[in-house]
Amino acid sequence: MTISYNWLCRCLPIGKGLDAQWVTPEKLSRILTSIGLEVEQMELQEQVKGGLEGLLIGEVKSCEKHPDADKLSVTKVSIGADHSLLQIVCGAPNVAKGQKVVVAPVGATIYPISGDALTMKKVKIRGVESEGMICAEDEIGIGTSHDGIMILAADAPVGQAASTFFELKRDYVYEIGLTPNRSDAMSHLGVATDVCAYLSHHHKLRLHPVSALNNVKIPAVKSAEPVKVVLENPEACRRYSGIVISHVQVGESPEWMQTLLKAIGVRPISNIVDITNFILHETGQPLHAFDLSKVGQKTVRVKNLAEGTSFTTLDEKERKLSAEDLMICDGNDAPMCIGGVFGGLGSGISDTTTDIFLESAWFDPVSIRRSSVRHGLRTDAATRFEKGVDISQTLNVLKYAANLIVDLCGGTIASDPVDVYPNPATPAEIALKYRYLKVLSGKNYHPDTIKTIMESLGFGLIKEGSDDIWFTVPARKTDISHPADLVEEIMRIDGYDNIDIPAEVNMVPAPDELAAAAGWKEKVANWLVGRGLSEIVTNSITNSAYYSEPVVLGGVKMLNNLSAELNMLRPALLETGLEVMAYNLNRRNLNLSLFDFGKIYGAKEDGSHGEWERLLLLFTGASIPGYWGQKANTVGFAQLKGTMEALANLCGVGIGKAEEISGELTGLCWYQGKEWLASFGWVSQEKLGQFDIKQAVLAADINWEAWWNIAARKKIAYTEVPRFPAVERDLSMIIDKQIAWGKIEAVIKKAKIETLTQCELFDLFESDKLGANKKSMAIRFVFQDKEKTLTDKEVEARMEKIITILSNDFGASLRH
């Protein structure tokens, strides 16, 4: 949020108990940061760049032709009694003796309207020494004329600083990193209230901000014709105030108001609009002005219109309204404004407007937020309404604005204020226990200090007990609802930098339930990086167009999505991972090995929403790029399966059952009992087509919660290094093509062959010479006995058993 130093000083009681030395720009910056309004940037703003620093008012004492140039003059210029005459060579055609001019002496820097800054030096021009410059308007940035030098009034004081002569304005602008809960500080008066509370506490004073809202009055109206206000949705608009002002003259706002608005980045438009913007940034209350002649039946209806109703806003865009949008309509139900968000083109102020209806209201923050996001209208008014405004000041702000319009626009108040407030808000009451304050703040506060701070912030004292104190919460403090909030207010005004640092800190260590999961995640991530994979971090919000209708219906849709492409929480990691892969492939990064830890979201069996941890692996292109004398090794299913088996071994995850799958992934699905562990294989062409990926991709979707839970339960045990050697046997079998290795492996493991410790497929060969629809599999078996060395006879007997099993179950035969 942007705050103007000059504007803030208007709201501070400087000279009325407040010493200006306490609130210099630098000191005020430190105060704001100390009370929780962190100043992220403080920038000097000047009406003219450079502020005409170093430039003086001078008088041309003599002017003669240059001896060696027809278009140049040699002048003698006085810049004050304390300085000798300056000899300046000037090329302006209008320079003459006796003129009062702006002089840039040697050392001064000028900032032209166009071009770079220029610092004056003593130079020779066509053989004649020149000690500065007599300036034109555009050369010093205060105008655009370059017809000649600036000629000032005859009474311009010689030697006076040019910045003083032109009465240049300068200001400091603070960029405050305002937290979302501090709606009360979204105005200059709100910030001034905090500053006064801080200075009152630290200087033992009673300071209050200078506010025109205190006891504001408007002239009585004899023949009043007020606009009728009808609240058809009192939940979305709890209070609506308005007033009619006639005979206004639309024109420019006064210079002082334009200067303040420009300082905070608001472009002046007209006096009526500028006054509403001024009120918004001074008080925090948004206003809206309607052309009274365009308010049908002199009636305002606050209501919701039918879904799809067309409405043209001030930016000349036609928008389709939602049935949830709160609208300000006239007596004919014609929409005039999206309440609290943006005005309509047909009812706005124009150059021909003479009578206006001025609105000041309170709108429901949730309703405003939804409409603002829905239509992409992030206005200053919507930003304040969605965080909550002071419902108690709606009418006072309206009166303040009406008086300004009368004073600055020549209008007259033509009606008494209308104030529809069917259910007045009751101030909240909160009790603060002194012990609780001590525990949270770490500091003992005297009850008188607590009362002084809270009352300076507008809290009302209800009662004071021996161990607690009760306060009413002002309506502008929309974030105050618990005793902890009162503690925060006290600590803010005391100053966060005044919190005592204790000599010792007592704490009871608590077990970290997530430590085990985080430890396993770190271990697996390091292991995957060691195998050449790169970690990616993807967005949890994705596009529902990636998924089938049943998946979308069972997913978590966004209510206030910021774009059509990001409208649901992801039900799987695959699609967001493929987005990253497509991004890299489109930039010719063709060899990718990626992994992503993340959460997926969806519906539980009981209908509520849940979230689950997943791990995604993605492979495409070459796992080992080609080098001199070595071809690239393209990643395949066997490599993915090997990675999965190694990962399962690392985590101690036993694979109980493996099933073949097809669809989005064509490959294998692993289970332990009834619990799903992982699915991995080739990504379907249909899915790749959604991301315009042309090359094959392998993926693994891992149920990470199940994996790390199994890993956490697994106890690490020591096994002695075998004393007896292992025996290896290779077997080449001819088998039907459709039989997968996974099935063969499962059958061999189920047979529980004695002393068989390992079996693995190390070669696969297909040829018509083997027979129709046949393939050859070469399998390596490893046998090892912990108690003795195995004999050839024992090993051969077990191999015969394996051959028999494969022949009976799969019709396999030995390849000779």
Side-chain angles (χ1 to χ4, degrees):
M1 194 187 80
T2 306
I3 291 291
S4 158
Y5 172 75
N6 288 346
W7 197 336
L8 188 57
C9 287
R10 283 169 49 97
C11 302
L12 295 174
I14 296 175
K16 300 175 182 178
L18 175 59
D19 191 332
Q21 295 299 315
W22 297 344
V23 286
T24 62
E26 292 77 14
K27 289 180 179 178
L28 194 53
S29 174
R30 290 194 291 271
I31 290 173
L32 292 175
T33 299
S34 178
I35 60 178
L37 304 176
E38 183 179 359
V39 176
E40 297 176 340
Q41 182 180 1
M42 184 178 78
E43 181 182 353
L44 174 64
Q45 276 199 355
E46 297 172 309
Q47 189 175 346
V48 173
K49 188 175 181 181
L52 303 185
E53 186 174 352
L55 275 62
L56 301 170
I57 305 301
E59 181 180 3
V60 180
K61 292 296 188 181
S62 68
C63 181
E64 299 176 356
K65 287 292 181 183
H66 192 288
D68 197 25
D70 294 338
K71 294 184 178 181
L72 297 179
S73 302
V74 180
T75 65
K76 298 285 187 179
V77 181
S78 169
I79 57 171
D82 297 336
H83 301 273
S84 58
L85 294 179
L86 301 180
Q87 179 173 284
I88 299 176
V89 177
C90 181
N94 62 335
V95 63
K97 179 181 178 181
Q99 294 171 338
K100 298 292 179 67
V101 293
V102 178
V103 179
V106 172
T109 300
I110 60 172
Y111 297 85
I113 290 291
S114 59
D116 298 329
L118 180 65
T119 300
M120 297 296 107
K121 298 178 181 178
K122 185 181 290 188
V123 296
K124 282 190 176 182
I125 302 177
R126 300 293 290 269
V128 177
E129 195 172 75
S130 181
E131 300 174 296
M133 181 177 179
I134 303 175
C135 303
E137 280 185 9
D138 65 331
E139 291 171 336
I140 58 175
I142 64 172
T144 58
S145 173
H146 194 68
D147 295 336
I149 60 171
M150 285 187 70
I151 300 174
L152 308 178
D155 60 351
V158 175
Q160 187 178 47
S163 58
T164 303
F165 178 80
F166 288 105
E167 298 180 346
L168 293 185
K169 305 293 190 300
R170 58 186 289 167
D171 197 356
Y172 287 88
V173 174
Y174 303 107
E175 287 296 334
I176 294 177
L178 199 64
T179 53
N181 63 310
R182 292 299 311 279
S183 60
D184 62 295
M186 294 188 73
S187 66
H188 286 79
L189 267 176
V191 174
T193 300
D194 277 6
V195 172
C196 286
Y198 177 89
L199 294 171
S200 296
H201 170 61
H202 288 275
H203 294 279
K204 309 302 179 186
L205 298 171
R206 291 276 184 174
L207 300 175
H208 300 283
V210 178
S211 172
L213 300 180
N214 298 329
N215 300 318
V216 60
K217 296 179 181 179
I218 58 173
V221 179
K222 294 181 180 179
S223 57
E225 291 187 15
V227 169
K228 182 181 178 182
V229 175
V230 180
L231 293 187
E232 296 188 17
N233 188 345
E235 287 76 28
C237 178
R238 289 172 53 196
R239 187 175 190 180
Y240 192 99
S241 306
I243 195 169
V244 175
I245 306 171
S246 60
H247 307 304
V248 298
Q249 296 177 0
V250 178
E252 288 190 355
S253 54
E255 183 181 353
W256 65 266
M257 183 176 288
Q258 292 193 34
T259 300
L260 292 177
L261 292 174
K262 288 177 182 177
I264 60 171
V266 177
R267 179 175 61 89
I269 298 174
S270 67
N271 47 11
I272 301 293
V273 177
D274 291 353
I275 287 172
T276 60
N277 284 331
F278 173 80
I279 294 293
L280 168 70
H281 290 282
E282 176 151 306
T283 68
Q285 172 66 48
L287 303 174
H288 191 76
F290 299 95
D291 188 326
L292 185 62
S293 66
K294 299 173 183 177
V295 180
Q297 299 185 23
K298 298 296 184 288
T299 300
V300 168
R301 295 185 181 276
V302 184
K303 60 186 295 183
N304 300 86
L305 295 178
E307 184 78 27
T309 303
S310 295
F311 177 61
T312 304
T313 46
L314 280 170
D315 55 3
E316 301 182 3
K317 291 183 180 179
E318 184 177 345
R319 303 176 188 272
K320 297 296 182 182
L321 299 178
S322 165
E324 295 182 354
D325 292 329
L326 185 69
M327 301 300 296
I328 311 301
C329 304
D330 65 8
N332 302 316
D333 286 345
M336 300 188 296
C337 174
I338 303 176
V341 179
F342 207 46
L345 185 63
S347 61
I349 303 299
S350 66
D351 293 341
T352 59
T353 298
T354 57
D355 301 328
I356 68 170
F357 175 71
L358 188 63
E359 163 198 283
S360 176
W362 184 97
F363 297 112
D364 177 54
V366 175
S367 172
I368 296 299
R369 171 70 178 179
R370 288 176 176 172
S371 293
S372 173
V373 173
R374 185 181 297 117
H375 296 290
L377 295 169
R378 305 296 296 140
T379 60
D380 284 340
T383 302
R384 281 152 178 82
F385 277 128
E386 70 185 25
K387 289 179 170 57
V389 298
D390 186 352
I391 195 171
S392 68
Q393 291 291 351
T394 302
L395 183 59
N396 284 339
V397 172
L398 179 72
K399 293 177 181 179
Y400 176 29
N403 285 335
L404 273 177
I405 291 174
V406 168
D407 293 342
L408 303 180
C409 307
T412 56
I413 294 175
S415 78
D416 291 324
V418 178
D419 185 28
V420 182
Y421 193 10
N423 299 302
T426 302
E429 299 180 358
I430 303 178
L432 176 62
K433 293 188 177 296
Y434 299 129
R435 178 173 175 76
Y436 181 72
L437 173 60
K438 170 67 169 65
V439 169
L440 253 62
S441 67
K443 188 173 181 178
N444 279 314
Y445 287 95
H446 193 277
D448 291 342
T449 300
I450 298 172
K451 286 188 290 184
T452 300
I453 291 176
M454 300 306 288
E455 288 175 349
S456 66
L457 289 172
F459 289 81
L461 177 64
I462 301 175
K463 61 181 179 179
E464 185 179 0
S466 58
D467 61 349
D468 63 4
I469 187 168
W470 287 74
F471 295 101
T472 57
V473 180
R476 68 185 185 88
K477 289 284 189 180
T478 58
D479 64 318
I480 305 297
S481 57
H482 299 92
D485 299 325
L486 300 184
V487 176
E488 180 187 1
E489 294 296 287
I490 294 168
M491 293 177 67
R492 276 196 320 105
I493 301 307
D494 186 39
Y496 285 136
D497 49 3
N498 290 326
I499 297 174
D500 296 331
I501 300 176
E504 61 180 32
V505 177
N506 298 320
M507 61 182 292
V508 178
D512 188 353
E513 297 179 357
L514 301 177
W520 273 105
K521 184 180 288 188
E522 184 71 16
K523 182 176 183 178
V524 169
N526 290 335
W527 183 84
L528 290 170
V529 169
R531 290 179 71 94
L533 282 79
S534 300
E535 184 172 11
I536 59 175
V537 179
T538 55
N539 195 347
S540 296
I541 306 174
T542 188
N543 191 345
S544 61
Y546 294 150
Y547 307 96
S548 63
E549 185 175 349
V551 173
V552 173
L553 291 175
V556 183
K557 294 294 293 290
M558 303 286 291
L559 294 178
N560 295 321
N561 49 299
L562 297 178
S563 70
E565 292 76 22
L566 297 173
N567 59 355
M568 77 176 295
L569 294 180
R570 62 185 176 197
L573 293 185
L574 179 61
E575 286 72 18
T576 51
L578 289 177
E579 284 181 333
V580 175
M581 185 162 275
Y583 181 89
N584 281 271
L585 293 175
N586 291 338
R587 286 153 182 79
R588 303 300 297 167
N589 188 9
L590 304 179
N591 304 318
L592 299 168
S593 299
L594 310 172
F595 73 95
D596 180 20
F597 282 102
K599 290 183 178 181
I600 64 169
Y601 308 85
K604 296 181 179 178
E605 293 181 359
D606 61 2
S608 62
H609 292 139
E611 56 184 53
W612 300 271
E613 292 277 356
R614 290 287 189 270
L615 169 59
L616 175 72
L617 308 183
L618 288 172
F619 299 90
T620 190
S623 58
I624 300 176
Y627 294 103
W628 179 264
Q630 177 181 319
K631 292 184 179 180
N633 181 21
T634 303
V635 67
F637 181 80
Q639 181 178 342
L640 173 61
K641 184 170 181 288
T643 300
M644 291 294 293
E645 290 173 341
L647 181 58
N649 185 55
L650 174 73
C651 297
V653 175
I655 310 305
K657 183 174 66 171
E659 293 182 354
E660 292 186 34
I661 57 171
S662 61
E664 265 188 11
L665 292 179
T666 299
L668 291 176
C669 187
W670 282 352
Y671 294 90
Q672 188 179 83
K674 294 183 179 181
E675 187 169 35
W676 170 74
L677 294 179
S679 300
F680 58 94
W682 298 101
V683 181
S684 69
Q685 289 299 316
E686 181 183 358
K687 179 59 67 176
L688 295 179
Q690 289 183 326
F691 302 91
D692 199 26
I693 296 176
K694 302 294 191 298
Q695 64 189 58
V697 176
L698 283 156
D701 184 12
I702 299 171
N703 182 356
W704 177 245
E705 286 187 14
W707 280 54
W708 82 257
N709 278 321
I710 294 171
R713 294 195 301 267
K714 201 80 172 180
K715 293 183 178 180
I716 298 175
Y718 168 74
T719 301
E720 185 180 2
V721 177
R723 293 177 294 163
F724 302 97
V727 179
E728 293 183 0
R729 289 289 187 270
D730 294 343
L731 184 64
S732 183
M733 305 288 292
I734 297 176
I735 199 166
D736 291 343
K737 278 187 178 180
Q738 65 269 23
I739 298 174
W741 162 245
K743 289 185 176 180
I744 297 172
E745 185 181 29
V747 168
I748 293 172
K749 288 183 178 180
K750 187 177 180 181
K752 297 182 179 178
I753 306 298
E754 188 179 2
T755 67
L756 178 63
T757 59
Q758 186 178 342
C759 68
E760 60 182 8
L761 177 70
F762 69 88
D763 188 41
L764 183 66
F765 175 70
E766 296 182 2
S767 173
D768 293 338
K769 295 179 181 180
L770 299 174
N773 199 32
K774 296 292 183 179
K775 64 183 176 182
S776 172
M777 283 185 170
I779 309 170
R780 177 165 294 139
F781 298 90
V782 180
F783 301 89
Q784 190 170 36
D785 195 319
K786 298 179 181 179
E787 304 298 330
K788 64 179 182 177
T789 302
L790 292 171
T791 65
D792 288 343
K793 185 178 179 181
E794 290 172 322
V795 174
E796 292 302 328
R798 288 157 194 172
M799 286 297 295
E800 286 296 331
K801 186 176 180 181
I802 292 172
I803 292 170
T804 301
I805 291 171
L806 296 180
S807 177
N808 292 338
D809 287 21
F810 302 107
S813 60
L814 288 174
R815 181 183 175 191
H816 298 287

